[in-house]
Amino acid sequence: AGEGGPELVIVNPSIIAAEEPPGSQQSLASLPDQSFLPNADNIINIVDVRDCTAGIIAAITKGRPGQRYILAGDNIRVRDLFIALSKAAGKSPRLIRIPRPVLRTAARLSAWWIRRTNRPKLALYPDLALMADYHWAYSSAKAQTELGYGWRPISETISDLVVAAK
């Protein structure tokens, strides 16, 4: 782009929350009443797919060539996200703290088992276990200022996801 190529405007969404496709096994409604979920202190950022879509359109129409825009939503602790998702789905989660070495070992064993048994889906990726060591908080201040970007609160996204899952 810097050498006379096409004008580029780059968008970087955070973790996108979207309605599960029909027939998905990962639906909020499929959580057991007393599920065990990780009690993690790290922070992640979740953006609603609808806000992300609006941000992409704004970047196309208002973005400055050669600029990068972060399309983020609310920063939230993983523990608080699991609690909010469970409550919205009418479930009672039990949060457990998993020591990092145990989590990493379980992820490596899971990946090894999937390869050995030729199963198509891996639930706990080794890279995902490593991500638990970091905060993934982002700011969309530039996109707000230059594109008029905005996002709905995570509580609204969670509520909409639970309604869609039922």
Side-chain angles (χ1 to χ4, degrees):
E3 298 175 4
E7 289 186 354
L8 298 178
V9 176
I10 300 165
V11 293
N12 295 111
S14 63
I15 299 170
I16 300 172
E19 182 180 337
E20 304 285 339
S24 170
Q25 298 301 313
Q26 298 300 318
S27 167
L28 294 173
S30 69
L31 280 175
D33 283 334
Q34 294 270 325
S35 58
F36 288 95
L37 297 169
N39 185 0
D41 287 329
N42 60 315
I43 296 171
I44 60 174
N45 187 286
I46 310 266
V47 63
D48 192 294
V49 68
R50 298 166 290 186
D51 301 325
C52 186
T53 303
I56 292 169
I57 293 168
I60 291 168
T61 59
K62 300 176 190 173
R64 291 183 292 135
Q67 294 298 302
R68 179 184 310 260
Y69 299 96
I70 295 173
L71 305 179
D74 284 338
N75 293 312
I76 186 170
R77 290 198 182 282
V78 171
R79 167 185 57 237
D80 297 335
L81 176 64
F82 284 138
I83 289 170
L85 284 166
S86 297
K87 282 184 180 179
K91 309 295 179 172
S92 302
R94 292 188 181 168
L95 299 177
I96 58 170
R97 188 163 304 278
I98 302 169
R100 295 292 191 251
V102 172
L103 183 63
R104 286 189 208 104
T105 300
R108 285 193 299 272
L109 287 172
S110 176
W112 173 81
W113 181 253
I114 291 298
R115 283 192 304 272
R116 183 166 166 78
T117 60
N118 291 321
R119 296 193 181 211
K121 195 170 185 181
L122 181 61
L124 180 59
Y125 293 89
D127 291 342
L128 184 62
L130 290 174
M131 288 176 59
D133 290 336
Y134 301 98
H135 292 295
W136 300 91
Y138 297 100
S139 168
S140 293
K142 181 178 175 181
Q144 280 181 285
T145 302
E146 295 186 19
L147 307 177
Y149 174 74
W151 63 92
R152 68 198 77 222
I154 189 68
S155 57
E156 183 179 329
T157 299
I158 289 170
S159 177
D160 292 348
L161 287 173
V162 170
V163 168
K166 290 183 179 179

